[in-house]
Amino acid sequence: MPGATVATTAPVLAALLSGPEVPGTVVIGLSLANEGLASTGSEAAARQLADGFLLGLHELASSAERAGASVVLGGVYPNDDLDLTQTRELRRTHARMAAWRWPVINFLERTEAGAGQSPLAHWQPRMRADAWHPNEE
């Protein structure tokens, strides 16, 4: 679902899990950018947004697991529009997700310029389609 958020994904996942056949595996990959991270104006606002994202994502994964599906999470990924404060929240979110019980596809460390050594989590050269999205190669 392009542009999906935790809130817009919840009813879609609920419908999928209440259908006649529950999928064996559910992959949930959502973006902090779609939640509004790039527009947060303070550290407190960025933290509040990220915490809400994590809470909602954890609930989505838990509901899929309760329905009998295995869960895989798509990790967060770079965004060229993030400032330093927002980048810290992106990386904190990445670390918190990695500590959960579900496997996480590590997009951030594989696609971020400077392999996490740069202060900003921007895309590696030639990996971006635009500031918010990877290319299709």
Side-chain angles (χ1 to χ4, degrees):
M1 294 179 5
T5 64
V6 169
T8 61
T9 301
V12 174
L13 182 61
L16 179 70
L17 297 174
S18 65
E21 293 184 37
V22 173
T25 302
V26 173
V27 179
I28 305 169
L30 297 170
S31 168
L32 275 170
N34 290 346
E35 301 289 336
L37 183 61
S39 63
T40 58
S42 69
E43 184 174 349
R47 174 70 49 102
Q48 182 178 10
L49 183 133
D51 286 349
F53 171 80
L54 287 164
L55 183 66
L57 185 61
H58 196 279
E59 181 50 39
L60 291 173
S62 294
S63 68
E65 191 173 62
R66 283 192 303 271
S70 297
V71 174
V72 176
L73 299 173
V76 297
Y77 51 84
N79 183 310
D80 290 354
D81 286 342
L82 300 183
D83 66 20
L84 192 55
T85 297
Q86 296 156 349
T87 295
R88 279 194 295 268
E89 277 311 308
L90 182 77
R91 290 182 176 143
R92 187 182 73 88
T93 300
H94 169 75
R96 288 186 58 195
M97 288 173 65
W100 289 350
R101 66 181 175 272
W102 304 287
V104 178
I105 302 168
N106 186 349
F107 294 124
L108 185 62
E109 292 177 4
R110 304 286 186 252
T111 58
E112 137 178 61
Q117 302 307 308
S118 172
L120 298 173
H122 289 179
W123 292 102
Q124 287 182 22
R126 299 184 310 277
M127 290 193 110
R128 62 176 278 220
D130 58 42
W132 289 27
H133 300 99
N135 65 28
E136 296 179 4
E137 296 176 12

